Amino acid sequence: MALRTPYLMFLGDAPDQLAAKTASGVVHWRPDICIGQIKLENCSADLGLPDMGLEEAAEAGAKTVIVGVANRGGLISQAWAETLVKAIELGFDVASGLHAKLVDVPEIGAAAEKHGRTLMDVRHPVRSFDVASGKKRTGKRLLPVGTDCSVGKMYTALAIEREMQARGLNASFRATGQTGIFIAGDGVSVDAVVADFISGATEWLTPENDADHWDVIEGQGSLFHASYAGVSMGLLHGAQADALVLCHEPTRTHMRGLPDYPLPGLAQCLAANEQAARLTNPAAACIGVAVNTKDLPPGEVSDYLKGVEDELGLPAVDPVATGVGKLVDNLPA
Amino acid sequence: MALRTPYLMFLGDAPDQLAAKTASGVVHWRPDICIGQIKLENCSADLGLPDMGLEEAAEAGAKTVIVGVANRGGLISQAWAETLVKAIELGFDVASGLHAKLVDVPEIGAAAEKHGRTLMDVRHPVRSFDVASGKKRTGKRLLPVGTDCSVGKMYTALAIEREMQARGLNASFRATGQTGIFIAGDGVSVDAVVADFISGATEWLTPENDADHWDVIEGQGSLFHASYAGVSMGLLHGAQADALVLCHEPTRTHMRGLPDYPLPGLAQCLAANEQAARLTNPAAACIGVAVNTKDLPPGEVSDYLKGVEDELGLPAVDPVATGVGKLVDNLPA
């Protein structure tokens, strides 16, 4: 699965900007491959891209329509299907991050078959994987881990990849979720593979590589999240990470979606992740902390980061506010 | 999914006794519901049950043909399919623990449809699950955890259920794998659910219950197995276990299937499991150790168990050799 670029971003009838969060993430990281947006009636989201009709986007060279938007009711509506069928007839592939599958909508499936176009439901792995072998692979790997879900693990990984490449280092982002897959153009939605193969899918995603090459892997969930820790554990073992980055959002009052669950302490979370990671890579170590400080009062950010550095003895950054240079400085040789 | 009993055990052309391990486990624990066995040409396994033809078994009241045997090459052969189709025509349901699905064999699927019979591929969950809520459920739960895969977690759970019921306690075995599902008549193959739903499937499998009721849950894998720890972690969190039993096979020289991975120490494994379990149940505690001593020299068994008890300060038993009475004695009130 490799997505053809550039993309036309489909916003459908997104009720607000948050519904287009996936699409916004793609545009933020890959403006170079997002050449336009297409909206239906009642769309209240905007990506700051030129509005385009399907024909116009095709003429401009767009190859894939990206459905990077949460839809109303979880189903693909008739209005959506009509537009996507027309896109297929014009030669577009279609890639979707919805739970509902494109291929399960009869007219979309039929159009793709008739016109020889590709449908990609990126939440649904299309291949099978071996169980993990646990065998040491050449090359190096970095994995962000979180105190909770949605604390900035993908953003941190992408910022680190960019900083490493800017320094001339050999680094590749490896996507494990839908937004990451649209950004990278390929990847595996590891939370959607069959449970026995979480680690095996991760091994497949980050294969042997040059000794100086870094895979910068998109993290998922948290070992301390009561719903998703199995995915986080399997990803950690399969990654065989040399370097971990602990990601945190300091204003969160409880684990996402679990009002009765407090967040773990930073030191506790770091220790649990290092302990688990060392099963498959005894050299695994946390190299720093990435804090999403956007909801802290601006005057408190630098004190907060300093406090984390003092507590853990590791560099602490906000990838947005301070950049990730101090994390890259601290990578093992 | 509830399997209709009694069972006719289908052995196919099993090349040896080991290939019929699943079927043997079912007969061991539920001889009351296994009324006969049926073999094809070149079958080298035997369950010690009466050999029966399909018509004879139907007359004897058998309701479901259980395919509890590893087959040659992983596919359902023509000879197998012919027998299973004939069984369906005679009114049997068919339940299989194979990776290959019965329903994917056209003549088997067609026969089941035509005759209104049920096909159950117990390795493949047929329903979807919610993500885990982490909410405390009424009733009590016990979960065996392992230093490795295949160290006796299912056997231990079944022995504990039986001992508890013999003492008049209110206990139910909850199956999480194919053999357990045939034994219990229902359950969920948790290693086959989509990764995001491991804990959610476990919550579904062990719902709220009477305050004095114990779910005795079949364990899976090991937190220290580089291939499967994600499943073990999700199961541990979803179980919200009050009581853990640590299961171990003392002659194992490396983790199953992973020649480069040594086994964890007992105290280390116990501590890691208690720590993870306490995320969803702060009262979780290990109540004892179940050792599979069958490959120890007979003269060393009692010294070995005594050594484990001294090291961990917990009762240690071999469920086969000594029974599990000391574990049940140590259950929390």
Side-chain angles (χ1 to χ4, degrees):
Chain A
M1 175 180 69
L3 304 179
R4 292 192 307 149
T5 59
Y7 297 157
L8 173 65
M9 306 305 289
F10 175 82
L11 289 177
D13 47 2
D16 54 30
Q17 196 64 19
L18 191 62
K21 195 182 130 194
T22 293
S24 301
V26 180
V27 174
H28 177 87
W29 286 102
R30 298 302 307 274
D32 53 311
I33 61 171
C34 297
I35 63 170
Q37 64 186 12
I38 180 167
K39 301 175 181 176
L40 302 182
E41 217 171 315
N42 298 321
C43 180
S44 303
D46 194 281
L47 301 172
L49 295 172
D51 288 304
M52 287 187 180
L54 289 169
E55 290 82 355
E56 187 187 352
E59 279 165 28
K63 296 284 188 289
T64 302
V65 174
I66 300 289
V67 184
V69 61
N71 55 350
R72 303 186 198 249
L75 297 170
I76 296 171
S77 69
Q78 191 56 39
W80 284 35
E82 278 170 24
T83 303
L84 297 176
V85 165
K86 201 184 294 177
I88 291 163
E89 290 168 353
L90 287 169
F92 286 98
D93 292 339
V94 182
S96 161
L98 299 172
H99 281 292
K101 289 189 190 180
L102 293 168
V103 72
D104 289 343
V105 180
E107 59 265 46
I108 296 177
E113 174 124 7
K114 178 174 171 195
H115 297 278
R117 304 307 346 152
T118 302
L119 302 178
M120 276 162 290
D121 290 293
V122 302
R123 278 185 195 262
H124 301 276
V126 291
R127 50 161 294 143
S128 60
F129 301 95
D130 290 331
V131 296
S133 73
K135 287 197 184 120
K136 176 77 180 153
R137 310 192 291 286
T138 51
K140 292 182 179 292
R141 284 159 197 88
L142 179 145
L143 178 71
V145 296
T147 52
D148 193 3
C149 300
S150 306
V151 292
K153 292 183 294 290
M154 185 190 76
Y155 194 102
T156 299
L158 285 160
I160 289 173
E161 180 205 36
R162 181 168 291 180
E163 174 73 17
M164 291 179 76
Q165 290 177 345
R167 295 186 188 191
L169 297 169
N170 191 2
S172 311
F173 172 73
R174 301 296 186 187
T176 65
Q178 53 158 335
T179 308
I181 292 171
F182 290 140
I183 292 170
D186 58 17
V188 176
S189 210
V190 293
D191 57 9
V193 304
V194 168
D196 248 359
F197 304 100
I198 311 168
S199 295
T202 307
E203 291 187 350
W204 178 88
L205 180 66
T206 69
E208 292 220 303
N209 214 315
D210 297 340
D212 71 344
H213 178 272
W214 282 88
D215 271 339
V216 184
I217 305 168
E218 182 185 357
Q220 291 293 339
S222 166
L223 285 187
F224 290 84
H225 198 291
S227 309
Y228 306 118
V231 172
S232 306
M233 179 67 116
L235 180 57
L236 195 54
H237 284 166
Q240 300 180 0
D242 302 277
L244 303 176
V245 173
L246 180 61
C247 299
H248 183 54
E249 204 280 72
T251 69
R252 195 78 53 103
T253 53
H254 59 75
M255 296 297 283
R256 188 173 166 85
L258 304 176
D260 298 335
Y261 284 82
L263 266 72
L266 290 176
Q268 174 193 17
C269 185
L270 188 160
N273 277 281
E274 282 189 342
Q275 180 189 319
R278 285 173 183 163
L279 181 75
T280 57
N281 184 348
C286 184
I287 60 145
V289 184
V291 183
N292 178 346
T293 66
K294 78 174 184 331
D295 291 330
L296 283 183
E300 292 180 16
V301 169
S302 79
D303 278 357
Y304 184 86
L305 295 177
K306 178 74 169 51
V308 171
E309 294 193 333
D310 291 345
E311 180 191 350
L312 300 178
L314 289 168
V317 305
D318 179 324
V320 177
T322 72
V324 295
K326 287 167 83 173
L327 302 180
V328 175
D329 293 344
N330 202 31
L331 284 174
Chain B
M1 173 179 71
L3 305 180
R4 291 193 306 150
T5 59
Y7 298 156
L8 173 65
M9 306 304 290
F10 175 82
L11 289 177
D13 47 1
D16 55 30
Q17 196 65 19
L18 191 62
K21 195 182 129 192
T22 293
S24 301
V26 180
V27 174
H28 177 86
W29 286 101
R30 299 300 308 274
D32 53 312
I33 60 170
C34 299
I35 64 171
Q37 63 186 14
I38 181 166
K39 301 175 182 177
L40 303 182
E41 218 172 313
N42 296 323
C43 180
S44 303
D46 194 280
L47 301 172
L49 294 173
D51 289 304
M52 288 188 179
L54 289 170
E55 290 83 355
E56 188 186 353
E59 279 165 29
K63 295 285 186 289
T64 302
V65 174
I66 300 290
V67 183
V69 61
N71 55 351
R72 301 185 202 251
L75 297 171
I76 296 171
S77 70
Q78 192 56 38
W80 284 35
E82 277 170 25
T83 302
L84 297 177
V85 166
K86 200 184 294 177
I88 291 163
E89 290 168 352
L90 286 168
F92 286 98
D93 291 339
V94 182
S96 161
L98 299 171
H99 281 292
K101 288 188 189 180
L102 294 168
V103 73
D104 289 342
V105 180
E107 59 265 46
I108 296 177
E113 175 125 4
K114 178 174 171 195
H115 297 279
R117 302 312 338 157
T118 302
L119 302 178
M120 276 161 290
D121 291 293
V122 302
R123 279 186 194 262
H124 301 275
V126 291
R127 50 161 294 143
S128 59
F129 300 96
D130 291 330
V131 297
S133 73
K135 289 200 184 115
K136 176 77 181 153
R137 309 191 290 288
T138 50
K140 293 182 177 291
R141 285 158 196 88
L142 180 147
L143 178 72
V145 296
T147 52
D148 193 3
C149 299
S150 304
V151 292
K153 291 183 294 290
M154 184 189 77
Y155 194 102
T156 299
L158 285 160
I160 289 172
E161 181 205 34
R162 180 167 291 182
E163 175 73 16
M164 291 178 77
Q165 289 177 344
R167 296 186 188 191
L169 297 169
N170 192 2
S172 311
F173 172 73
R174 300 296 185 187
T176 64
Q178 54 158 335
T179 308
I181 292 171
F182 290 140
I183 291 170
D186 58 17
V188 177
S189 212
V190 292
D191 57 9
V193 305
V194 168
D196 248 357
F197 304 101
I198 311 167
S199 296
T202 307
E203 290 187 350
W204 178 88
L205 180 66
T206 70
E208 292 220 303
N209 215 315
D210 296 339
D212 70 342
H213 179 272
W214 281 88
D215 271 338
V216 184
I217 305 167
E218 181 184 356
Q220 292 292 338
S222 167
L223 285 187
F224 290 83
H225 197 291
S227 310
Y228 306 118
V231 172
S232 306
M233 179 67 114
L235 180 58
L236 195 53
H237 284 166
Q240 300 181 358
D242 301 277
L244 304 175
V245 173
L246 180 62
C247 299
H248 182 55
E249 204 282 71
T251 69
R252 198 77 53 99
T253 54
H254 60 77
M255 297 296 284
R256 188 171 165 87
L258 303 176
D260 298 335
Y261 283 81
L263 266 72
L266 290 177
Q268 175 193 16
C269 185
L270 187 161
N273 277 282
E274 282 189 341
Q275 180 189 319
R278 286 174 183 161
L279 181 74
T280 57
N281 185 347
C286 185
I287 59 146
V289 185
V291 184
N292 178 345
T293 65
K294 78 175 186 327
D295 291 330
L296 283 183
E300 292 179 16
V301 170
S302 77
D303 278 358
Y304 183 85
L305 295 177
K306 178 74 169 56
V308 170
E309 294 193 333
D310 291 346
E311 180 192 351
L312 300 178
L314 289 169
V317 304
D318 179 323
V320 177
T322 72
V324 294
K326 288 167 82 172
L327 302 181
V328 175
D329 292 344
N330 203 31
L331 284 175

